[in-house]
Amino acid sequence: MIKSGRSQLEIHPMAQEFSQKSKILFRPKRLEKKQRSKHKKIIFGVLFLIIFAGAIYFFFFSPTFQIKNALIIASEKNISSDLVAQVQNSVRDFFQTRFFFVRRDNLFVFQENELKDYLISKFPEISDAKIERSSEKNLAEREIKIYLTKREMAAIWCETDLASAATGELKPVEEENFEPVTSTAATISESEAVRPKEEIKKCFYVDGEGVVFEEAPLTFGALIVLVKDFSGDEISLGARIAEPKFIEFILDARDWLAKNSDVSLAEFSIDKEDRQLRGLTSEEWQIVFNESQTAAEQGFIIKKVLEQEIKDKRRDLEYFDLRIENRIYYKYRNQDSKEDNTQK
C-alpha cells in the first residue's frame, strides 16, 4: 500500500523489494545482448574490410585485369618498322605510370584518349592513333590494338636568314648584300641580275594542318612546296607553324596557277617584319599575295594581265603585287611600277 503525505511519497516495502529483485534478474541479460551485438558488429566490420580490400586488390592490383598485350598496327605503308618499335616501347612506358596508385594498364583505369594523346605528343609524325579494346566475348585476351596513321607532307618549311631583304615593301637592296647570278633576260642589267644571300638553317616537313612533324632535307622539285620562313620564329617538332587555311592557300595558289596560266611557283617566302607571303616563279619574278582573297581570284587576275598586258615579256617581270584588293601592280626589272585596274 502506498501512502502519500504532504511533501513525500512513501513506497510500500514489498514493492521496494520487488524492484530490487527485478534489477538482479533482468539487467545481466540486457548486458549480454549488447555485448553479443557489439561482437557481431566487430566481426562483420572486419569481414567487410577483408572482403573490400580483397576486391580492391583483385580488380585493380592483381594481373587478372591488366592489359596483357598491345598490338601496334601500321595502317599505312609509309610507317617504318623502327617507328612501330618505338611506339611499342612508349606504350610499355605509359602502362608503367599510375593513376593515383593503380597502373594505367588496368582495364578499369585505362583510357584510350590518354594513350592516344600521349603517343601523338611523343611522336609528332603520327597524326592519329585509333585504339580498340578486346570485345566483351574475348575479354579474357586483355588485348588492345593501336592503328597508327602518319602525317602526310604538304610542304617543306625552312628557317631562313637573309643578309639583307626587302620586307614589307618591294625596294632595291644595296648591291653589297647580293651575289651575282646569270640570267637570260636581255633587259636585266648586271647590277640587277643578283640574288639575295640566303642562309637556310633547318628544314622540316609540315602537314596540311600546319603541324611540324619531322626534319627534312632541303629539296627542290615540281612536286615539292618549299616555304622559306624569314620571320625569325623558331621552328620545333610538334608545333603548329601555320593555320590550315594558310597551308591550303599556298597549295591552291600553286595548283591554280600551274593549271590555268602556265606559271610555276618554285617556292614561297614569308617576310620577317609583316609575315607577308610571296611566291617566286621559275621565271624569277615574284607574286606578293593578298591572303584575304582566294588564290583562284588572284590567279585569275594574274592570268588576265599576263595575257593582255605582259604577253611575251614575262621573263622581264620583277613582281606582281596584289595586296590592294581589286588592284594589281606589276613592275619590269628596268622600269617603274605600273598599275593595272583589272577587276575580278
Side-chain angles (χ1 to χ4, degrees):
M1 181 177 180
I2 299 175
K3 297 180 180 180
S4 60
R6 287 184 178 179
S7 59
Q8 63 181 3
L9 181 66
E10 294 182 2
I11 302 175
H12 194 277
M14 291 184 65
Q16 187 174 5
E17 183 180 355
F18 177 79
S19 175
Q20 291 175 353
K21 288 182 178 180
S22 65
K23 289 180 181 179
I24 295 172
L25 291 174
F26 297 106
R27 188 174 181 183
K29 290 184 178 180
R30 288 201 301 269
L31 287 174
E32 287 179 5
K33 288 182 179 180
K34 287 182 179 180
Q35 288 177 351
R36 288 196 205 101
S37 176
K38 187 176 181 180
H39 291 160
K40 287 181 180 179
K41 288 180 180 179
I42 293 173
I43 292 171
F44 282 125
V46 172
L47 288 175
F48 174 78
L49 289 176
I50 292 173
I51 294 172
F52 180 75
I56 292 294
Y57 173 80
F58 178 71
F59 287 108
F60 295 103
F61 294 98
S62 73
T64 307
F65 293 99
Q66 286 181 349
I67 295 172
K68 186 168 58 175
N69 185 34
L71 182 62
I72 311 298
I73 301 173
S75 56
E76 297 177 1
K77 294 181 180 179
N78 61 348
I79 298 178
S80 65
S81 57
D82 289 340
L83 178 59
V84 171
Q86 292 175 25
V87 171
Q88 187 77 62
N89 292 332
S90 295
V91 171
R92 292 194 191 99
D93 294 340
F94 175 82
F95 284 158
Q96 293 297 323
T97 62
R98 295 179 181 271
F99 178 75
F100 290 98
F101 299 102
V102 184
R103 283 178 35 152
R104 294 186 186 274
D105 61 352
N106 181 274
L107 288 172
F108 298 105
V109 172
F110 174 67
Q111 295 291 327
E112 290 89 339
N113 287 336
E114 284 188 355
L115 178 56
K116 174 182 175 179
D117 294 341
Y118 173 80
L119 293 176
I120 291 177
S121 64
K122 192 172 180 64
F123 300 96
E125 60 266 49
I126 295 176
S127 63
D128 190 22
K130 183 181 178 182
I131 301 172
E132 292 183 356
R133 297 190 186 213
S134 300
S135 62
E136 294 182 0
K137 295 180 180 179
N138 300 321
L139 188 61
E141 294 180 0
R142 291 176 285 146
E143 181 181 77
I144 62 170
K145 295 179 181 179
I146 305 174
Y147 297 87
L148 300 180
T149 303
K150 192 174 181 180
R151 297 184 188 275
E152 294 184 2
M153 181 197 69
I156 293 180
W157 205 283
C158 297
E159 285 186 21
T160 312
D161 280 342
L162 195 60
S164 178
T167 57
E169 296 294 327
L170 290 167
K171 298 178 180 179
V173 186
E174 295 297 330
E175 187 175 348
E176 62 183 7
N177 293 321
F178 287 79
E179 55 186 6
V181 296
T182 58
S183 174
T184 58
T187 57
I188 302 177
S189 65
E190 182 179 354
S191 62
E192 290 171 325
V194 292
R195 187 191 302 275
K197 293 179 180 178
E198 297 175 352
E199 179 188 356
I200 295 178
K201 296 180 178 180
K202 287 183 179 180
C203 294
F204 301 86
Y205 291 124
V206 176
D207 73 348
E209 298 296 315
V211 176
V212 180
F213 65 90
E214 191 176 347
E215 289 195 23
L218 178 58
T219 307
F220 299 91
L223 300 178
I224 302 296
V225 178
L226 179 65
V227 180
K228 294 180 179 178
D229 192 341
F230 297 95
S231 67
D233 295 339
E234 185 177 355
I235 302 175
S236 58
L237 291 174
R240 187 184 296 276
I241 195 65
E243 293 298 320
K245 287 185 178 180
F246 187 81
I247 302 296
E248 183 181 5
F249 180 91
I250 290 175
L251 298 177
D252 288 347
R254 184 200 63 167
D255 295 342
W256 197 98
L257 288 169
K259 182 179 179 180
N260 297 283
S261 63
D262 194 28
V263 174
S264 175
L265 285 170
E267 63 186 54
F268 293 86
S269 64
I270 299 174
D271 289 344
K272 181 175 182 179
E273 295 180 1
D274 57 2
R275 297 188 63 85
Q276 177 64 54
L277 176 66
R278 302 168 186 257
L280 178 66
T281 70
S282 58
E283 296 171 306
E284 297 291 328
W285 45 272
Q286 291 189 40
I287 302 173
V288 187
F289 288 102
N290 181 351
E291 296 171 44
S292 64
Q293 294 179 276
T294 67
E297 289 173 335
Q298 296 174 78
F300 178 79
I301 296 174
I302 292 172
K303 177 184 178 183
K304 193 171 182 180
V305 174
L306 285 173
E307 292 175 349
Q308 297 180 2
E309 298 289 335
I310 307 301
K311 297 180 181 179
D312 59 347
K313 295 185 290 183
R314 283 172 52 156
R315 296 191 66 86
D316 297 338
L317 276 172
E318 184 174 337
Y319 66 80
F320 277 123
D321 189 344
L322 298 110
R323 284 176 289 183
I324 299 177
E325 191 171 355
N326 295 329
R327 292 179 182 273
I328 182 170
Y329 294 86
Y330 65 92
K331 180 179 181 296
Y332 294 110
R333 288 185 172 92
N334 59 347
Q335 293 180 0
D336 294 332
S337 176
K338 294 183 179 182
E339 176 185 355
D340 188 281
N341 293 320
T342 301
Q343 300 295 317
K344 294 186 290 180

